[in-house]
Amino acid sequence: MSIEKELNLEFFREKGFVRKKCKKCGSWFWSLDADRITCGDQPCEDFSFIGNPPTIKPYSLDEMRESFLKFFEKRGHEVLKPYPVVARWRKDIYLTIASIADFQPHVTSGKVPPPANPLVISQPSIRLNDLEQVGVSGKHLTIFEMMGHHAFNSKERFVYWTEETVSYCHEFLSKQVGIAEENISYKESFWEGGGNAGPCLEVISNGLEIATLVFMNLEEREGGSIKLNGKKYSQMKLKVVDTGYGLERLVWLTSGSKTVYDAIYPDVVEIIKRESQTKNPQAVYALADHGKCILFMLGDGIVPSNVRAGYLARLMIRRALRFLHVLGIEEDFLFRLMEMHNQHLSKNFPHLAERKDVIEEMLKIEIDKYRDALSKGKKLVEKILKEKKKLGREELIKLYDSHGIHPETIKSMGIEVEVPENFDSLVAGLHSCEKVEEKEEISLPELPETRKLYYEDSYSKSFDAEVIWSGEIGKKNCIILDKTAFYPEGGGQPSDIGYIISNGERVEIEHVESVNGKILHFVDKKIEKGSKVRGFVDWQRRYALMRHHTATHLINGICRMLFGEHIWQAGSNLEENEARFDFTHYKPLTMEEIEKIERKANELIRKGLDVEKEFMERNEAEKKYGIRLFQGGVPEGGIIRVVRIPGIDVEACGGTHLNNIREIGRLRILRAERIQDGINRIVFVAGTEKVKAVEERERNLIEEVKKKISKRLEIEEEVTSPRKALHEISIMFSVPIDRIPKTVDKFLKDLPHGKEGKAKDVVDACRKIFIEWKKLQKSKKRVPSRFVEKLRERKERIGKVNLIIIGKEETGMYDPVSLAEEMVKEKGYVVCINDGKSITMAASEDIDIDLRPIAVKIGKILGGGGGGREKLVRCGGKNVEKLNKAIEEAKRIFAKELG
């Protein structure tokens, strides 16, 4: 492919443009200025517009955006509303990085028609690849609006290509914005991104790149015949006009201000300067930029966390907090910063102001977490430095990822550390893309797609069909039928099971999968191609899964109604006896909130709402319901199946569902838990009979606990809500509900025998027993100095080291770890404790030994393992009868290494 040939336009020749080669960078460019010797871009040429704007009037952001959209609307382009900054419709990236990202990969691949053609959009975009330049270069931003006009050319319809694109651009910049034509140059280049590529023109004025015109006609493909930049490409089905005009850069150009930040955030910059206790322009500008970026991230539904888009939101919040510290401004100023940006954005982005309360609550939690990280930081770093003498790049990344401690924070503690210049961009880059797992493809012959009876009637229990293919896949018998009622695994829903009758013989259906529209049935016996069969779905299991699937959608919608638009499905799993729903939220659910969700769900179930299921064109569905459709994942293709509970929830979903939510019967939340930072899980059951079974189990558990405790405490009252009581006890003991009886047994076994008095109810009794047990554990950790000195008398001398072996009968009532730590507080001691269950080893700080590899060896003898810190380890396993042998081996190793 020749870029010169692609970009040698009639437009340039007619207007009198000259193609020249830049004397500095060697790039080819087009200009009306015959005397120009450079391309006009930095660093070949300095900015010439600062203090001397090339236009008659300065534009505000709103004026420039409106001018651009109207210009293209008058020229036949449909104006699209901007997409969110979190790219929910993409499987590869987390943030919307450009306007073309809205249409990749489904539209650009030709699988889905464009939502309009041609179209124009002003898309808020976020890029975190040059974080360290924000506030420094004067031009870098984390968030910007990419204004773009796009055309999608196919064999069936040609819209426009290179000539018209450059003509539109030139007309807009010269006649609409008012830049002199000789001040506009077009530099030839090549663009690639998101798996696509093509020649492009970078549009430059007065030293500033203000737009890029990409002519996307290539797609990255293995085995492609076109080789460019070390990659293989093939021609695309479509020819896509992908333009990007920098809204903020155009406003800056027309204002002639010192920096882009002074042009687009003048009020915000001035207020930050006024509040600042120190003079630091970089921090002022970066803070102004970061505030808007954070507002869009949280306003568009990102929940700060340690994973995916949530990681990037937290990264930005903590950068902003560090800049506040640098400027000597209180952390709570962040709330004021959000409000200032909201005032400027409310006209064009009203949803940000509508979500003000949720945004503020998320920020409050994040500020508290940041303070907590700072308070724990120094101790943690000092602890790590005892084991590792130096903190390299990998250790710094791990410290930040795992504990939120930034290298600059470590430096501020007085600890010497070499901070990579691009640290924040580096960690942002590591967390900006989804790692897509490559699945092994199943090779099948050319066959028609299977007719999916489970979509025609999800209540179909049996059917007649013909075997159109029979063979083996992964050494398992497999058949494909011309039609089937067996649902294949997908979207968190397991496949159906059941059986088919073939020639009078029963054949079990063990698993079902879908591959390119063909439904694979894995069977326990071979069946010949052409056989006529009758299939029977395991209906009891299927109906339970349908209840749980529809109930998952119901809970999702209710959570969004109760807590806000940031609620987004993070996973689900359906089983016959229970189901789970994972979702993004910035804090754990309280018992009151759990009951509120359940109460609302059962209220709606009693009311009864039809579940609407229909196949729709993707664009029509997106226009009608928005990106919210992709809660359960991003489906392929131009036709998607939409499942809707009117007024509650709507999702693109391929699963089997009830016809009316009344069929759920009853819904009961078993538990809600925080499975990771920023993600909650609700585990529930659906179905009246299942809920009754849960209630019976809860009553039995309470009775079991009461029976155990009543031997020690007199319980005066019955609990009114077994479920609430079990929840409180579960939190108190930090164990799952099912483990409460065993935990109570353990506590009672450890405590001295005898009646202890009275308790109001089971919860109060558990609390009293737990308090007593904790007191006992605390006393075990306080090892008297007399006891320690007496044990030290038993030392054996190995070289210059004192070795002490302590048996089970000599540990007394004391915790072995606490005892070991006390024993080695003085210099020159190594201690080895056999408590009858495991072995604890410790060494004084002055002894040059790492106990961790020794623990692994000793653990192997015990049929298990070992580990811990350099100077304190524990090891154990199932072979407790070999404890004495393990102690002897430990003595032998110590004698060898220390003797």
Side-chain angles (χ1 to χ4, degrees), residues 344-355:
H344 293 294
L345 295 163
S346 59
K347 179 186 169 187
N348 290 287
F349 303 96
H351 71 284
L352 299 175
E354 288 164 10
R355 297 171 189 173

Side-chain angles (χ1 to χ4, degrees), residues 60 84 117 219 291 303 427 503 564 573 638 706 735 744 801:
S60 69
N117 197 13
E219 59 185 353
V303 174
V427 293
N503 295 323
N573 186 58
K706 182 181 174 183
V735 297
V744 169
V801 175

Side-chain angles (χ1 to χ4, degrees), residues 246-266:
L247 170 63
E248 291 79 4
R249 287 193 174 197
L250 281 165
V251 169
W252 182 25
L253 185 75
T254 67
S255 79
S257 61
K258 185 181 175 184
T259 73
V260 68
Y261 320 107
D262 294 300
I264 62 175
Y265 306 130

Side-chain angles (χ1 to χ4, degrees), residues 586-868:
Y586 49 87
K587 60 183 180 180
L589 295 179
T590 63
M591 190 62 194
E592 288 70 27
E593 287 170 332
I594 293 166
E595 288 177 337
K596 204 171 183 179
I597 296 165
E598 189 183 284
R599 196 160 50 245
K600 184 67 177 174
N602 285 312
E603 177 190 311
L604 290 168
I605 289 165
R606 286 192 297 273
K607 184 179 177 184
L609 294 166
D610 285 341
V611 181
E612 299 171 0
K613 296 155 272 188
E614 63 176 322
F615 285 93
M616 297 179 72
E617 286 191 2
R618 190 189 197 95
N619 286 327
E620 183 195 346
E622 278 191 34
K623 277 182 182 177
K624 194 170 182 180
Y625 301 119
I627 303 304
R628 176 64 57 191
L629 278 169
F630 306 131
Q631 286 275 320
V634 185
E636 300 291 334
I639 304 294
I640 61 176
R641 185 168 179 263
V642 176
V643 175
R644 179 170 171 256
I645 305 172
I648 307 297
D649 184 69
V650 60
E651 298 180 37
C653 179
T656 57
H657 285 273
L658 304 170
N659 286 338
N660 190 293
I661 63 171
R662 188 183 290 112
E663 294 177 60
I664 295 170
R666 282 180 69 192
L667 185 143
R668 182 65 179 269
I669 296 175
L670 301 179
R671 62 185 180 276
E673 53 200 9
R674 193 80 160 161
I675 59 167
Q676 66 184 56
D677 195 18
I679 297 180
N680 286 348
R681 170 173 291 169
I682 288 175
V683 180
F684 66 94
V685 294
T688 304
E689 67 289 345
K690 284 187 170 62
V691 172
K692 283 181 178 177
V694 167
E695 289 170 341
E696 181 64 25
R697 190 184 66 182
E698 287 172 349
R699 284 193 292 271
N700 291 341
L701 272 172
I702 281 291
E703 282 304 312
E704 187 181 352
V705 172
K706 182 181 174 183
K707 193 174 177 182
K708 290 174 186 295
I709 294 177
S710 59
K711 293 174 185 177
R712 182 176 300 271
L713 287 167
E714 185 184 329
I715 296 170
E716 296 177 327
E717 298 175 14
E718 297 293 331
V719 292
T720 53
S721 169
R723 178 234 199 127
K724 204 164 186 176
L726 289 167
H727 178 77
E728 284 185 53
I729 299 167
S730 171
I731 291 170
M732 190 192 305
F733 290 173
S734 298
V735 297
I737 285 169
D738 288 344
R739 283 179 53 196
I740 288 173
K742 282 189 178 179
T743 307
V744 169
D745 274 339
K746 180 185 183 305
F747 292 164
L748 293 173
K749 189 178 176 184
D750 288 350
L751 290 170
H753 293 290
K755 283 273 182 182
E756 297 291 334
K758 295 181 180 181
K760 181 187 171 187
D761 55 23
V762 171
V763 178
D764 185 40
C766 285
R767 189 179 296 110
K768 286 183 175 180
I769 285 171
F770 189 48
I771 289 167
E772 287 304 311
W773 184 82
K774 283 204 294 185
K775 282 180 184 175
L776 180 65
Q777 299 310 304
K778 201 172 179 182
S779 69
K780 284 182 180 181
K781 287 184 179 180
R782 286 197 299 268
V783 186
S785 56
R786 292 194 310 275
F787 188 76
V788 172
E789 289 306 319
K790 192 171 181 183
L791 288 173
R792 280 191 184 138
E793 291 172 5
R794 307 183 49 204
K795 63 192 176 191
E796 298 175 39
R797 198 75 177 166
I798 298 176
K800 295 180 180 179
V801 175
N802 299 311
L803 174 65
I804 302 173
I805 306 294
I806 302 172
K808 180 186 176 183
E809 62 284 350
E810 292 149 333
T811 59
M813 62 177 284
Y814 304 110
D815 171 59
V817 173
S818 303
L819 179 57
E821 285 175 330
E822 287 296 326
M823 295 294 296
V824 298
K825 278 185 177 176
E826 282 190 16
K827 289 182 180 181
Y829 280 92
V830 172
V831 64
C832 193
I833 301 173
N834 171 6
D835 62 12
K837 296 174 186 175
S838 60
I839 291 172
T840 304
M841 293 183 284
S844 301
E845 284 297 326
D846 64 310
I847 297 174
D848 186 19
I849 190 169
D850 187 345
L851 297 174
R852 289 171 294 191
I854 301 172
V856 173
K857 290 177 184 176
I858 301 305
K860 279 183 181 177
I861 294 171
L862 298 172

Side-chain angles (χ1 to χ4, degrees), residues 542-567:
R542 156 75 83 78
Y543 195 57
L545 292 171
M546 285 168 63
R547 277 175 158 175
H548 280 137
H549 204 156
T550 302
T552 300
H553 284 223
L554 179 63
I555 290 172
N556 188 359
I558 290 168
C559 285
R560 197 162 53 256
M561 287 163 60
L562 295 177
F563 308 125
E565 290 297 314
H566 64 280
I567 298 293

Side-chain angles (χ1 to χ4, degrees), residues 304-316 400-401 427-428 431:
S305 69
N306 284 334
V307 293
R308 300 186 177 89
Y311 179 98
L312 302 174
R314 178 167 290 167
L315 173 73
M316 292 306 297
Y400 184 75
D401 279 358
V427 293
H431 293 267

